[in-house]
Amino acid sequence: MTQHDVEVPTADGVAAASLHVPDGDGPWPGVVMYPDAAGLRAAHRDMAEHLAGLGYVTLVPDVYYRHAPWAPFDATTVFADPDERARLFALMGTVTPEMMAADAHAFIDFLRARPETTGGPVGTTGYCMGGRTSMIVAGRLGDAVGAAASFHGGGLAVADSADSPHLRAGDITATVYVAGAIEDQSFTDDQRELLETALTEAGVSHLIETYPAHHGFTVPDNDTFDETAAARHWDALANLYGRTLA
């Protein structure tokens, strides 16, 4: 695979991103991979390399680019350090659903313009905060997104939130795959049932599963990384994208 550090023009500036291209002769489908709350870093570059190895041109954006340069987070200690935890949550709070959608237009346009991609609908996948972003983008960009995945994403179906992704289920044309974690207060059984109902009533092709692992199970530098669950997530992505993007 080939990795490029790239810059993506957006409505609010320029977003740094990591682009990963499969080996061989393309073109290939494009995928936007949204990182967890700790942001673009080596762990997500490694994950993008893996996805590129499955045959997808993968873009991992810096979703905090409006605040660049920002000091990187250590995913293994950020939640145990009160100051770093506060800094993380403050940064997370600056990225609104409207910003997510506007940025997604730019990211998808960037991917479609690359000679390595097929130029068709893209896939999205996201982790933790990025899982919510993936669902928000699917509900706001229509048929530009062919498949949307969320892994241990939080806040996907919050009954008293006007920004909850489940409220735009009727606008989703993508095939959706959601994998939750056990004992995860950011995606409870009640939220899972609400999301299931919303997607079913909207006629969205979808599958929601709960992996026997804890929040953060896919990302290698998380303390809760689970090798078996991570491997299952790669199989799920390969199946999802193989059915919808190839």
Side-chain angles (χ1 to χ4, degrees):
M1 280 64 70
T2 303
Q3 186 271 333
H4 306 277
D5 290 326
V6 297
E7 294 184 334
V8 182
T10 74
D12 291 333
V14 177
S18 185
L19 181 71
H20 300 257
V21 180
D23 291 331
D25 297 324
W28 302 273
V31 172
V32 182
M33 175 183 284
Y34 290 102
D36 61 18
L40 174 59
R41 60 191 188 279
H44 283 291
R45 292 178 190 270
D46 290 345
M47 293 173 72
E49 280 290 284
H50 188 115
L51 190 54
L54 298 179
Y56 301 94
V57 179
T58 307
L59 182 75
V60 190
D62 174 12
V63 297
Y64 300 135
Y65 72 91
R66 293 173 180 84
H67 303 279
W70 51 274
F73 294 99
D74 183 341
T76 62
T77 61
V78 62
F79 289 103
D81 183 325
D83 291 338
E84 281 294 88
R85 181 185 175 94
R87 182 169 72 91
L88 177 69
F89 276 91
L91 204 54
M92 289 172 61
T94 66
V95 186
T96 67
E98 291 73 24
M99 291 176 179
M100 295 174 189
D103 289 346
H105 279 292
F107 300 150
I108 290 172
D109 286 347
F110 178 87
L111 275 174
R112 284 175 161 176
R114 296 287 303 193
E116 302 97 336
T117 67
T118 58
V122 305
T124 63
T125 185
Y127 305 86
C128 181
M129 170 186 169
R132 181 171 181 266
T133 303
S134 179
M135 292 295 292
I136 286 173
V137 168
R140 294 186 180 227
L141 270 71
D143 59 9
V145 181
S150 170
F151 295 92
H152 45 85
L156 305 185
V158 182
D160 58 356
S161 172
D163 289 331
S164 180
H166 83 283
L167 295 176
R168 289 186 178 248
D171 298 320
I172 295 175
T173 61
T175 299
V176 169
Y177 179 83
V178 173
I182 60 173
E183 301 174 5
D184 189 350
Q185 292 307 303
S186 69
F187 189 54
T188 63
D189 289 343
D190 287 344
Q191 291 186 35
R192 186 177 295 106
E193 291 175 9
L194 183 57
L195 181 61
E196 175 69 45
T197 298
L199 293 174
T200 299
E201 291 182 349
V204 176
S205 176
H206 70 281
L207 177 63
I208 303 176
E209 298 187 303
T210 300
Y211 287 19
H214 291 90
H215 185 88
F217 58 78
T218 57
V219 185
D221 64 356
N222 285 348
D223 287 341
T224 52
F225 175 71
D226 185 297
E227 188 172 350
T228 300
R232 179 178 171 183
H233 124 273
W234 290 124
D235 288 342
L237 276 181
N239 179 273
L240 173 68
Y241 295 156
R243 291 185 291 111
T244 57
L245 301 181

